[in-house]
Amino acid sequence: MTATADLAIRLRRASFNRALPDADLAAIGPILAQDVVMVTGTDSGVIAGRKAQLMAWKREFAAPDRSIYTRTPDTILVSPVEPIAFEHGQWQGAAASSGILIASGAYTAKWRQIGSEWLIEAELYLTLA
């Protein structure tokens, strides 16, 4: 179960990463739990709920100086007793127009398996550069 869950979560993260430069809200929505919570890296802003997060991404995609974010998982820790997992890794944001790195740091995401799908329940970001 652990190896299968690890691969499934990594594939879902890769799908999320691919959706960001494409501004593909339809691809992001199904990866987020209904009550997902994101705590941003610099100002610790809380974005609660799938609808709120999709609206935040929609604003980001429309910004003239938008950024492209990438999350790279280092580890996936799958619970042996519940259908949940932690993803730990590094994130970075680059200017869409130039590709110049503008911010980066560490993140943790909590995932939950609902049916056959792994969904993000929570993400915490730490800005380090």
Side-chain angles (χ1 to χ4, degrees):
M1 161 84 178
T2 300
T4 303
D6 182 293
L7 179 60
I9 290 167
R10 288 177 188 276
L11 289 172
R12 296 286 272 182
R13 178 57 72 193
S15 293
F16 199 117
N17 282 338
R18 280 191 308 274
L20 293 177
D22 295 340
D24 189 351
L25 290 174
I28 294 170
I31 299 171
L32 302 173
Q34 189 69 34
D35 296 325
V36 65
V37 175
M38 178 194 294
V39 180
T40 63
T42 301
D43 61 3
S44 295
V46 176
I47 302 171
R50 179 189 300 148
K51 184 176 178 181
Q53 191 171 141
L54 290 174
M55 290 304 294
W57 283 118
K58 187 175 182 179
R59 284 191 303 276
E60 176 68 26
F61 296 156
D65 57 346
R66 73 176 281 224
S67 300
I68 304 294
Y69 293 95
T70 304
R71 287 94 159 179
T72 304
D74 293 328
T75 60
I76 308 291
L77 178 61
V78 180
S79 171
V81 296
E82 295 291 337
I84 55 177
F86 262 172
E87 169 192 3
H88 302 286
Q90 306 303 310
W91 69 270
Q92 66 178 28
S97 59
S98 65
I100 294 172
L101 186 66
I102 55 171
S104 63
Y107 75 95
T108 296
K110 182 182 178 191
W111 293 78
R112 179 174 301 275
Q113 186 177 27
I114 298 176
S116 63
E117 298 292 340
W118 284 92
L119 304 177
I120 298 171
E121 285 193 318
E123 293 180 298
L124 296 167
Y125 290 90
L126 175 66
T127 302
L128 297 171

